[in-house]
Amino acid sequence: MSFRTTPSVDYVEDVSPGSGALPPRAWYASSDARSLSLNGSWRFRLSATAGAEDDSFAAEGYDAGNWAEVTVPGHWVLQGDGAFGSPIYTNHLYPFPVDPPYVPTENPTGDHLRVFDLPSDWPSDGGAVLRFDGVESCARVWLNGTELGEFKGSRLAHEFAVGELLKPGSNVLAVRVHQWSAGSYLEDQDQWWLPGIFRDVTLLHRPAGSVADFFVHASYDHTTGEGTLRVDSGVDGRVLVPALDIDVATGEPVTVAVEPWTAETPKLYDGVLATDGERVPLRIGFRTVVLEDGLVKVNGTAVLFKGVNRHEWHPERGRALDLETMREDVLLMKRHNLNAVRTSHYPPHPAFLDLCDEYGLWVIDECDLETHGFTEQDWRDNPVDDDRWTPALLDRAARMVERDKNHPSIVFWSLGNEAGTGRGLTAMAEWIHGRDPERLVHYEGDWNCRDTDVYSRMYAFHDEVEKIGQQLDGGTHKRRELPFIQCEYAHAMGNGPGGLADYQELFEKYDRLQGGFIWEWIDHGVKHAELGYAYGGDFGEELHDGNFVCDGLVFPDRTPSPGLIEYKKVIEPVRIEGDGANGIVHVTNKQDFADLSALAFEWSCQVDGETVESGSLAVPALAPGESAEVKLPEPPADGRGGERQWTVRALLADDTSWAAKGHVVAWGQFAVGARPLPSFPATDRPVVEEGRITLGPAGFDARTGALLSIGGVAVGATPRLDVWRAPTDNDDGAEWQTDTRYGMLWRTLGLHRMRHRLVSVEAGDDALTVRTRVAPAAREVGLDTVYRWTSDGERLRLSVSVTPEGDWTVPLPRLGVRFGLPEADRVEWFGGGPGEAYPDSRMASMVGRWQSTVDRLQTPYVRPQENGARADVRWVELGGLRIEGDPEFWFTARRWTTEQLDAARHRTDLAAGDTVWVNLDHGLHGVGSQSCGPGPLPQYFLKAEPVEFSFVFSTTR
């Protein structure tokens, strides 16, 4: 006798998209039909396996009084203080055996129960639909004990007809959610694995004759200024657009004069689709997207994408975002000059696309598809090249396109991300091209452009991008005829990205290069009581990819990082350059569609960083691409002989939907003349007595030459040569990269443990000279370093000369001096600010007079690393000292040593000590974006070569 059990959960490992759901249709936020939100508190039970519990919980009258509660929308692993499991972060590795379509028996399964009352005035006619906007990764649904079906496709909407099942009064909705399913093989995006019902659940009344699916076609003819509107509807009705005097039947085209929609001028016309049973509001944007002359054109004009990749993220709620959080993202993007967003790597909550329509952002809408983990087996068994999976792929494509097709902001449909190549992707592309020929199709992995309308790459280095711009990159004939975009570039992980300005220069130089999308928008740090923000590995994951999940332009709390401030400057829609000596400003409109009439310009003149005069500047309303020269007024007289410069700003002339009047859109700075260098006549001589050397206001240890004090200011640690920085994520690079990773080489060479050998202390007639050799253990290379101290009686000058010895084959992380102050808090400086800057990320550094505290100088990267440098510093005051540089220098101050910063893994690891450590650097190495992209370009290397620099110290007390 044989015996065999068959699990009741076969649907979990079925490659089909599911059963029972209605065909996909257009999403709309509201209508005059009734709806009932089922968001809120749900009863919840977690099981360790998919088949651990029977289905009795779905029956009416089931007692779930002893169950826990979770909030929907939400992820159960982010609720319950760890009682419901933990998040898992992997970049591309599947956190389960790769055995498609099977998943482990250990499959956390959450039973969700919601008892709701149907409102007493709920209409009794017509039907009803139950809509789920997002469930990860597989769900089975019952209403009042009747099974509705099951579905996969976590970031896609699914609807079920439930009209005949609803009852007056109490109703029971039961949803069983499995963390792992066959669908998980298609959802290997670089993000946290977070199961749950994480988007809205809504009950929709569907009156007789209500709107079913509809498609708004709204094209624009840039040669005539006319738009053509046609709304195709599954149910006959009428289309009304009062502002355009339109009242036509569905399916009937009408052509009228309109203002077009663009990301710069997002004109929307309010309309209504009216059928016998329902009125649906429409927001119509007229625009035409074509591939013409080898370029992506909208309304007849080639577009330059200044974009960002956006995962959905909140540090406490994960991917369960509310409308205000989505709005905050869009407003931050607009205020930082971004014009495009790629919805990596899945369709976002549909409300986000409404916001892109309203405020103006070009969108690449990406399908919920990634199979990146199959790279570990050379793409063997990849679902996108396996016909059994093609129905699921087509279902995902259709659910994206049908849901989102009425958004004018969407110019590309993307097949997905990092899924290799295969027949399934071709099928998706063919279906999308047939369903919506009015948009273009994107997919980065299709380097031969068989299925796509654009040549797309990620992390192509600058030299390759230039070759592509010159059409010298080879490839198929079709590819060479297509425009190029970087769907991902400039990896914004930790300190960086560097090299943005160099990329933008290429994008603007070659027509074929139509811009790109920074990776990515936000750090996916999980708020944690002990760690501040947690990242991969902090939850004990079996496999994880560390802080690679923290690679955004904004921190987890949506505070802009220095990378976002830099990007805003690099992609300014107005370029402001000047000839300060002759008082000429060159203004260029870098926009694609809008003139400059929305902007007001103002000038100011600074002396030694302080504004002494300002006024308005008359700039013509330049058309896109136009430039003009504008004359500045005569600079104010300056009897001090200080450093003078002009600053010109472009501001919003009036309030807009995304920022208030006066918001700074762009700025430029240029010197009136050369910077006057400080004079320093050395008049005092060193005096040696009782183990101490006195030179002007300073005291030194006679044996070691160490500086002890300047005036009444004690020095906790003498200035001495420093070449080490706590490596950034970009210094360390990624393990799969073949390019040189300098963070690793620096550590191998021993630059983090340099030894200082005192050669001599010489008290001469006019100077105290300390000679040293600085070198790492076990190596023969070194840096001959001479410190020469002089004084004019009140001030103290330190001149440092450095001569490399041996064969230095690597650049230095930094080159300058580090010293300690026992007391320091308030900091004031004249130089670049207000935020940090590095050699290849300094465009946003504005020269001026700035103030801060030592604590506010720190940039709070989720994983601590080198940060906080200020560029082009003329002088700085802190801890009772004033320090002037010749030449200008880089300044950093923090309450922990570089070594402590290097050892920290979370910000909470850093404890303030009694000493403030100050770095005065002659040079810094660039930062690049080698955590996934290119390292610094050669011009930003800090080479080990002979150099001299000096600082002048005085007291402020």
Side-chain angles (χ1 to χ4, degrees):
M1 177 179 178
S2 62
F3 176 77
R4 182 172 183 266
T5 61
T6 303
S8 61
V9 291
D10 287 350
Y11 63 90
V12 174
E13 297 175 331
D14 190 335
V15 298
S16 74
S19 63
L22 295 169
R25 64 183 180 121
W27 188 92
Y28 49 93
S30 64
S31 76
D32 62 351
R34 289 290 301 275
S35 66
L36 178 66
S37 172
L38 298 179
N39 296 344
S41 180
W42 289 51
R43 289 291 182 175
F44 178 76
R45 176 182 65 186
L46 182 65
S47 303
T49 66
E53 306 286 350
D54 61 28
D55 305 339
S56 60
F57 81 104
E60 296 178 83
Y62 182 87
D63 183 6
N66 63 342
W67 285 22
E69 293 187 27
V70 295
T71 298
V72 171
H75 306 278
W76 70 68
V77 293
L78 295 181
Q79 303 183 58
D81 294 324
F84 306 142
S86 301
I88 298 170
Y89 168 61
T90 59
N91 167 28
H92 78 280
L93 296 174
Y94 289 105
F96 48 80
V98 180
D99 183 24
Y102 305 110
V103 295
T105 301
E106 297 81 15
N107 187 358
T109 295
D111 289 334
H112 297 69
L113 201 61
R114 175 80 151 87
V115 178
F116 65 93
D117 288 332
L118 197 67
S120 59
D121 59 348
W122 186 268
S124 58
D125 64 315
V129 164
L130 178 65
R131 184 174 69 207
F132 295 88
D133 283 317
V135 183
E136 183 176 332
S137 73
C138 174
R140 187 179 178 190
V141 186
W142 297 261
L143 181 62
N144 292 329
T146 298
E147 182 173 350
L148 304 179
E150 77 284 337
F151 61 89
K152 308 176 190 75
S154 298
R155 294 106 203 168
L156 301 162
H158 294 82
E159 294 182 326
F160 296 91
V162 297
E164 296 181 355
L165 299 176
L166 286 174
K167 301 188 306 181
S170 180
N171 291 264
V172 178
L173 175 59
V175 184
R176 173 163 287 170
V177 180
H178 307 283
Q179 176 157 19
W180 311 122
S181 70
S184 301
Y185 285 99
L186 304 179
E187 296 173 3
D188 189 26
Q189 294 97 336
D190 175 11
Q191 59 181 347
W192 294 95
W193 298 87
L194 298 173
I197 305 173
F198 68 96
R199 287 185 185 161
D200 306 288
V201 182
T202 312
L203 182 67
L204 303 169
H205 177 233
R206 309 309 300 140
S210 60
V211 173
D213 190 24
F214 64 96
F215 198 160
V216 176
H217 302 271
S219 62
Y220 178 73
D221 187 335
H222 65 279
T223 63
T224 65
E226 294 178 320
T228 298
L229 175 67
R230 187 185 82 247
V231 178
D232 296 333
S233 174
V235 175
D236 291 342
R238 297 199 69 79
V239 179
L240 300 91
V241 187
L244 299 176
D245 293 325
I246 290 177
D247 182 351
V248 296
T250 53
E252 180 180 334
V254 57
T255 300
V256 294
V258 298
E259 296 178 44
W261 189 98
T262 74
E264 297 167 8
T265 57
K267 175 64 178 179
L268 292 173
Y269 290 91
D270 290 325
V272 175
L273 169 59
T275 64
D276 288 344
E278 188 177 16
R279 293 173 64 90
V280 174
L282 304 177
R283 303 211 76 191
I284 302 165
F286 291 87
R287 58 103 186 94
T288 296
V289 183
V290 297
L291 183 63
E292 183 179 80
D293 302 323
L295 297 172
V296 177
K297 293 185 179 181
V298 179
N299 302 337
T301 298
V303 173
L304 184 61
F305 296 105
K306 304 170 183 178
V308 69
N309 287 272
R310 174 186 176 269
H311 270 297
E312 296 180 305
W313 185 252
H314 186 280
E316 296 174 84
R317 301 192 301 270
R319 287 187 285 279
L321 300 189
D322 60 5
L323 180 62
E324 287 314 305
T325 299
M326 291 184 264
R327 189 186 306 276
E328 184 178 358
D329 280 347
V330 172
L331 292 178
L332 278 170
M333 291 176 187
K334 293 291 291 186
R335 290 168 185 166
H336 289 86
N337 295 331
L338 279 76
N339 71 0
V341 61
R342 175 182 177 225
T343 69
S344 53
H345 298 294
Y346 42 84
H349 190 292
F352 179 78
L353 299 173
D354 287 341
L355 296 169
C356 294
D357 295 342
E358 178 182 352
Y359 293 102
L361 288 170
W362 307 115
V363 174
I364 296 180
D365 196 5
E366 194 146 270
C367 194
D368 190 10
L369 173 62
E370 180 166 335
T371 63
H372 198 176
F374 284 90
T375 57
E376 295 297 309
Q377 53 202 58
D378 297 324
W379 296 109
R380 188 174 58 257
D381 297 328
N382 186 8
V384 304
D385 200 28
D386 183 335
D387 291 340
R388 294 175 300 166
W389 295 81
T390 299
L393 302 180
L394 290 172
D395 179 77
R396 287 171 184 251
R399 289 189 181 279
M400 171 183 67
V401 171
E402 301 296 6
R403 192 197 75 168
D404 297 342
K405 58 183 176 282
N406 295 324
H407 291 281
S409 57
I410 297 173
V411 291
F412 280 100
W413 300 115
S414 179
L415 303 181
N417 184 69
E418 292 178 319
T421 58
R423 292 162 288 175
L425 290 168
T426 299
M428 294 169 69
E430 290 175 350
W431 183 89
I432 293 173
H433 276 123
R435 178 58 174 148
D436 183 18
E438 298 168 358
R439 290 184 177 93
L440 305 179
V441 170
H442 165 272
Y443 177 65
E444 185 272 339
D446 183 14
W447 284 19
N448 289 326
C449 303
R450 179 183 66 179
D451 301 320
T452 58
D453 299 311
V454 63
Y455 178 29
S456 176
R457 289 281 300 283
M458 55 175 68
Y459 308 111
F461 288 12
H462 296 78
D463 56 350
E464 184 183 5
V465 170
E466 180 153 33
K467 288 180 181 178
I468 294 171
Q470 297 168 332
Q471 293 185 311
L472 300 176
D473 56 304
T476 63
H477 175 76
K478 178 184 178 182
R479 191 180 88 181
R480 293 196 305 273
E481 297 299 314
L482 292 179
F484 175 80
I485 64 170
Q486 285 249 64
C487 68
E488 294 179 23
Y489 79 109
H491 200 247
M493 185 175 178
N495 187 336
L500 286 176
D502 306 276
Y503 270 122
Q504 194 65 26
E505 182 179 350
L506 293 172
F507 295 159
E508 296 180 8
K509 182 177 181 180
Y510 300 103
D511 290 343
R512 187 189 184 193
L513 307 181
Q514 293 198 251
F517 297 76
I518 301 294
W519 186 268
E520 64 161 311
W521 177 242
I522 188 168
D523 286 343
H524 302 204
V526 177
K527 192 169 184 180
H528 193 284
E530 298 175 1
L531 303 177
Y533 290 110
Y535 49 76
D538 289 334
F539 297 99
E541 299 101 305
E542 179 182 19
L543 297 172
H544 67 85
D545 286 288
N547 67 312
F548 201 70
V549 77
C550 296
D551 46 12
L553 290 173
V554 298
F555 296 125
D557 64 356
R558 284 178 163 74
T559 299
S561 76
L564 181 58
I565 306 302
E566 176 79 357
Y567 194 35
K568 175 186 177 181
K569 175 63 179 167
V570 167
I571 60 174
E572 285 174 336
V574 183
R575 177 169 296 161
I576 301 172
E577 301 169 313
D579 177 355
N582 295 308
I584 298 294
V585 180
H586 304 275
V587 179
T588 303
N589 182 358
K590 304 297 292 183
Q591 297 178 109
D592 297 322
F593 298 94
D595 63 23
L596 299 188
S597 59
L599 301 178
F601 290 78
E602 66 177 25
W603 62 268
S604 60
C605 186
Q606 290 80 38
V607 177
D608 289 338
E610 293 186 298
T611 297
V612 295
E613 200 168 321
S614 62
S616 60
L617 187 68
V619 175
L622 300 171
E626 287 188 343
S627 299
E629 288 190 352
V630 181
K631 181 68 176 174
L632 288 164
E634 288 296 318
D638 172 38
R640 296 179 292 174
E643 180 180 352
R644 295 190 296 172
Q645 67 183 16
W646 295 103
T647 302
V648 175
R649 294 177 173 86
L651 319 170
L652 287 181
D654 297 293
D655 291 346
T656 69
S657 62
W658 50 269
K661 177 181 179 180
H663 168 78
V664 178
V665 172
W667 59 271
Q669 267 187 337
F670 27 94
V672 175
R675 173 198 172 200
L677 295 176
S679 62
F680 190 91
T683 59
D684 282 26
R685 61 179 299 169
V687 177
V688 183
E689 54 185 6
E690 297 181 357
R692 183 181 177 92
I693 299 175
T694 301
L695 178 60
F700 297 83
D701 184 293
R703 184 178 60 85
T704 64
L707 177 66
L708 303 175
S709 64
I710 303 175
V713 178
V715 177
T718 190
R720 66 177 189 170
L721 192 73
D722 189 19
V723 299
W724 182 241
R725 72 184 187 198
T728 68
D729 293 310
N730 291 308
D731 289 337
D732 287 337
E735 62 182 15
W736 63 81
Q737 291 177 323
T738 57
D739 272 28
T740 302
R741 297 158 58 197
Y742 284 107
M744 178 178 64
L745 290 185
W746 292 338
R747 208 178 292 275
T748 300
L749 184 59
L751 299 189
H752 61 305
R753 46 175 176 78
M754 299 290 276
R755 298 289 184 253
H756 297 251
R757 177 168 63 87
L758 179 63
V759 176
S760 65
V761 178
E762 306 166 6
D765 290 340
D766 62 349
L768 171 64
T769 303
V770 181
R771 302 182 187 277
T772 67
R773 187 176 189 272
V774 183
R779 307 292 176 181
E780 64 176 354
V781 297
L783 300 168
D784 244 2
T785 307
V786 178
Y787 310 92
R788 189 172 187 272
W789 298 93
T790 56
S791 175
D792 65 357
E794 294 183 355
R795 299 176 297 165
L796 184 70
R797 182 187 184 105
L798 169 62
S799 297
V800 183
S801 63
V802 181
T803 304
E805 293 182 339
D807 186 13
W808 284 87
T809 59
V810 300
L812 299 172
R814 68 174 352 119
L815 183 65
V817 296
R818 176 170 61 165
F819 67 99
L821 291 173
E823 294 182 9
D825 185 30
R826 180 180 171 276
V827 184
E828 184 173 356
W829 74 98
F830 173 28
E836 76 177 23
Y838 287 81
D840 53 353
S841 60
R842 62 188 298 172
M843 293 291 291
S845 181
M846 177 183 284
V847 174
R849 289 274 292 269
W850 306 104
Q851 293 184 359
S852 178
T853 64
V854 170
D855 292 339
R856 290 206 308 270
L857 288 175
Q858 316 311 309
T859 302
Y861 295 114
V862 174
R863 186 190 74 81
Q865 56 197 273
E866 166 64 31
N867 74 91
R870 267 57 179 183
D872 304 314
V873 177
R874 281 75 162 158
W875 57 257
V876 61
E877 293 181 354
L878 81 163
L881 291 181
R882 178 185 175 97
I883 307 164
E884 299 175 73
D886 180 12
E888 297 152 4
F889 60 98
W890 303 82
F891 162 74
T892 311
R894 52 178 67 100
R895 298 188 186 278
W896 35 79
T897 66
T898 300
E899 291 73 23
Q900 290 168 331
L901 184 63
D902 188 11
R905 291 296 169 260
H906 295 87
R907 283 151 41 185
T908 51
D909 295 336
L910 293 168
D914 296 330
T915 300
V916 171
W917 294 95
V918 180
N919 277 90
L920 310 175
D921 289 310
H922 175 70
L924 293 171
H925 189 65
V927 292
S929 66
Q930 201 175 0
S931 51
C932 195
L937 290 169
Q939 60 264 37
Y940 304 117
F941 281 28
L942 179 59
K943 296 179 181 178
E945 54 192 10
V947 68
E948 293 186 9
F949 51 92
S950 65
F951 305 100
V952 176
F953 298 81
S954 57
T955 61
T956 59
R957 294 173 180 172

